[in-house]
Amino acid sequence: MSALFQPYTLREVTIPNRVWMPPMCQYSAAPEGPLTGTPTDWHFAHYAARATGGTGLIIVEATAVSPEGRISPYDLGIWNDTQVEAFRRITRFLVGQGTVPAVQLAHAGRKASTDRPWKGGAPVGPQAHGWQPVGPSPVPFAEDHPVPVELTTQQIADIVGEFADAARRALAAGFEIAEIHGAHGYLIGNFLSPHSNHRTDEYGGSYENRTRFALEVVDAVRAVWPDDKPLFFRVSATDWLEDGGWTPDETVRFARELHAHGVDLLDVSTGGNASGVRIPVGPGYQVPFAARVKAETPMPVAAVGLITDVEQAEKILANGEADAVLLGRELLRNPSWARQAARETGAEVRVPDQYHRSV
């Protein structure tokens, strides 16, 4: 029996299979005006295609908890009710296809206010809808990035509140699962790593201090997120630095603490917080980090990173390296990957009635 097509239950939510879609920014929202950060027809079509293709869980792309928390001016947000109403159209359709809708709540930190990747991804200023990035310390991401403004403790508390408010809106928008974005060098990851966090107060220095902001966000979101619905956390398991960065050992320790604070699954990625590092990219290159968390902690995990073919994905699950697989670029190339995998493995996956043919 195919491991990919076994249902998976967390709290009171059952995901029909283990083929999941990770957050992937589309940079397709309006950059200004009353519809800033609001999902468009592109977002609806993009997510709907993967749902009709049989994907069990779709995590909507990084969705900012405030205008300043966007990666680019073209990112989605969930800081107002107009955005909530637009998201409802998407979540209703996904649920109707048997797909569980999830959303990643995010703040870009020092990597905010950049252009779209196909325009080069460079930092943008006010003349291009940009703004001043913030971070735990005045340490830029790279030489061509602006120095972020160091957050005060009051501003940190305000952002914690913004995550909680965003979670309330995500619930109103029909999402069944919320994920907190703590990876890829964005704000929470900035605090976790000594590479980007040079503070000397209660939010910097020791491991306990560097993880304080992340745990405050988790607690604030868990307090407003229903007990019957799961909460995920995405982490970069390593900065890929030889010294002075966030490490796999810290990830394992952190996973235990997140589990104790009510996080139900760790979405394990890597990198993004240090520019110019060498990453040994290859098929499944991040899976060992997920496997270690699963082996050494009580935390369920999802693996991501160049997982492309059915046999590879089946082995990850069958070997106990992860509880689910997240297919990013492969689902961009093939929205019906899940239905294709079901045919290859002899499993069953829901097919829309409109696609059934008697001949």
Side-chain angles (χ1 to χ4, degrees), residues 327-352:
L327 283 76
R329 289 175 177 84
E330 191 62 22
L331 274 174
L332 296 183
R333 290 186 286 263
N334 182 3
S336 295
W337 191 95
R339 288 201 279 123
Q340 175 184 314
R343 288 195 300 270
E344 290 186 21
T345 61
E348 292 186 7
V349 66
R350 185 185 185 279
V351 177

Side-chain angles (χ1 to χ4, degrees), residues 61-99:
E61 64 203 78
T63 301
V65 300
S66 68
E68 299 76 23
R70 292 171 294 166
I71 300 168
S72 84
Y74 304 91
D75 280 13
L76 293 181
I78 195 162
W79 64 79
N80 66 44
D81 293 340
T82 298
Q83 295 158 346
V84 169
E85 187 58 37
F87 274 121
R88 285 197 188 109
R89 179 187 178 212
I90 295 173
T91 59
R92 279 195 299 264
F93 186 85
L94 267 56
V95 169
Q97 300 306 308
T99 296

Side-chain angles (χ1 to χ4, degrees), residues 260-280:
H261 282 254
V263 172
D264 299 287
L265 181 138
L266 195 66
D267 174 355
V268 183
S269 188
T270 66
N273 193 45
S275 64
V277 297
R278 294 176 62 87
I279 300 176

Side-chain angles (χ1 to χ4, degrees), residues 238 257 281 331:
T238 176
E257 295 178 10
V281 175
L331 274 174

Side-chain angles (χ1 to χ4, degrees), residues 281-321:
V281 175
Y285 71 105
Q286 296 176 145
V287 174
F289 299 97
R292 182 178 171 192
V293 171
K294 184 167 174 59
E296 297 182 25
T297 79
M299 177 74 83
V301 300
V304 66
L306 289 183
I307 300 169
T308 58
D309 64 74
V310 177
E311 182 180 2
Q312 175 195 22
E314 285 277 6
K315 284 183 177 179
I316 290 168
L317 299 177
N319 293 342
E321 296 174 285

Side-chain angles (χ1 to χ4, degrees), residues 3-10 15 17-20 264-266 290-291 293-295 297-303 313 316-326:
L4 279 170
F5 293 95
Q6 296 300 305
Y8 190 60
T9 299
L10 290 166
I15 303 164
N17 60 51
R18 314 297 179 95
V19 181
W20 299 357
D264 299 287
L265 181 138
L266 195 66
V293 171
K294 184 167 174 59
T297 79
M299 177 74 83
V301 300
I316 290 168
L317 299 177
N319 293 342
E321 296 174 285
D323 298 284
V325 290
L326 292 156

Side-chain angles (χ1 to χ4, degrees), residues 184-314:
H184 301 160
Y186 300 120
L187 186 62
I188 292 175
N190 296 163
F191 274 88
L192 293 176
S193 175
H195 176 74
S196 47
N197 183 349
H198 298 178
R199 299 177 74 98
T200 58
D201 63 2
E202 66 268 35
Y203 289 98
S206 68
Y207 165 88
E208 290 81 6
N209 285 354
R210 287 184 282 111
T211 58
R212 188 183 308 278
F213 173 57
L215 294 177
E216 287 179 351
V217 170
V218 168
D219 289 345
V221 170
R222 187 74 267 182
V224 302
W225 196 245
D227 288 341
D228 62 345
K229 297 186 185 301
L231 177 63
F232 292 3
F233 190 99
R234 183 165 238 197
V235 68
S236 283
T238 176
D239 283 341
W240 295 106
L241 293 169
E242 292 185 5
D243 56 67
W246 180 259
T247 69
D249 287 345
E250 288 177 314
T251 296
V252 170
R253 180 180 176 183
F254 190 45
R256 296 190 187 104
E257 295 178 10
L258 289 171
H259 189 262
H261 282 254
V263 172
D264 299 287
L265 181 138
L266 195 66
D267 174 355
V268 183
S269 188
T270 66
N273 193 45
S275 64
V277 297
R278 294 176 62 87
I279 300 176
V281 175
Y285 71 105
Q286 296 176 145
V287 174
F289 299 97
R292 182 178 171 192
V293 171
K294 184 167 174 59
E296 297 182 25
T297 79
M299 177 74 83
V301 300
V304 66
L306 289 183
I307 300 169
T308 58
D309 64 74
V310 177
E311 182 180 2
Q312 175 195 22
E314 285 277 6

